[in-house]
């Protein structure tokens, strides 16, 4: 199982790794955002689709607050923790 959640740039190396592992005979499941399912399918990997979309999270009010705190490391980390914890919990529930 490979976690390829994120942008397409985050997913591309996971697709390459998954294809190579599959060529060696490994059964590969790739966790990705639903909009990238065609890419996972085209790579011949078993898709595990997430309901979360990092692009939407970043575009949300909480995501914008997180990015706005970038110059203040304490504010940046606090905002990140508020976003990351529920996201991580949801990902774990969806792939367990």
């Amino acid at each position: 199982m490979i976690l390829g959640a994120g942008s397409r740039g985050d997913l591309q190396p996971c697709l390459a790794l998954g294809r190579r592992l599959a060529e060696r005979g490994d059964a590969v499941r790739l966790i990705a955002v639903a909009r990238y399912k065609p890419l996972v399918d085209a790579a011949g990997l078993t898709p595990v689709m997430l309901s979360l979309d990092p692009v939407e999270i970043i575009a949300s009010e909480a995501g914008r607050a997180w990015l706005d705190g970038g110059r203040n490391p304490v504010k940046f980390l606090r905002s990140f923790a508020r976003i990351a914890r529920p996201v991580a919990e949801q990902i774990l529930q969806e792939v367990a």
Side-chain angles (χ1 to χ4, degrees), residues 14-86:
C14 298
L15 289 168
L17 173 62
R19 277 193 303 267
R20 183 69 178 118
L21 290 170
E23 288 170 5
R24 291 179 26 178
D26 292 308
V28 180
R29 295 175 62 193
L30 197 139
I31 303 166
V33 178
R35 75 169 117 160
Y36 297 127
K37 186 177 186 305
L39 295 173
V40 177
D41 289 338
L45 308 175
T46 302
V48 178
M49 298 293 93
L50 295 173
S51 64
L52 296 170
D53 188 335
V55 172
E56 292 175 7
I57 293 168
I58 295 298
S60 71
E61 184 177 328
R64 287 191 306 275
W66 170 47
L67 294 176
D68 289 345
R71 294 189 181 259
N72 179 332
V74 173
K75 184 177 178 184
F76 182 83
L77 290 174
R78 282 187 180 144
S79 294
F80 177 75
R82 276 193 294 274
I83 293 171
R85 185 178 318 267

